[in-house]
Amino acid sequence: MRHSKNFQDLTGQKIHRLTFLEYVGKNDSRNSRWKVQCECGTIFEVTASSVKSGTTYSCGCLRIENNKKRQKLK
């Protein structure tokens, strides 16, 4: 697979709760898509930019955990 000169190989890197497994390709908006694994074990695809910017921290398990913590505080 050809990559641009600005391509950053994120394979094996961990950001937030996500570990980058493999490069999938570009989406329609030309953003790099990656297969990632969350700490909880869920594997899914996400754009690198959404992880780097902090838009995506996990597969959704973090939100569930935080909601459960809030419920206990009430």
Side-chain angles (χ1 to χ4, degrees):
M1 187 178 298
R2 263 181 62 221
H3 302 293
S4 71
K5 64 180 180 178
N6 296 330
F7 178 78
Q8 182 180 9
D9 188 3
L10 299 173
T11 306
Q13 288 190 35
K14 184 173 181 178
I15 301 176
H16 310 297
R17 290 184 166 206
L18 304 175
T19 301
F20 287 82
L21 301 177
E22 68 178 293
Y23 177 74
V24 176
K26 300 253 184 201
N27 65 10
D28 293 340
S29 301
R30 310 269 310 137
N31 294 318
S32 296
R33 292 199 55 82
W34 287 82
K35 186 180 290 186
V36 296
Q37 183 169 15
C38 186
E39 285 180 359
C40 73
T42 302
I43 296 174
F44 63 103
E45 290 183 13
V46 67
T47 61
S49 59
S50 70
V51 176
K52 289 178 178 181
S53 69
T55 303
T56 305
Y57 282 87
S58 71
C59 66
C61 64
L62 180 60
R63 182 172 20 110
I64 293 167
E65 286 177 23
N66 288 337
N67 286 341
K68 286 180 182 178
K69 287 178 187 176
R70 282 189 210 106
Q71 291 296 326
K72 287 181 181 178
L73 293 176
K74 290 183 179 181

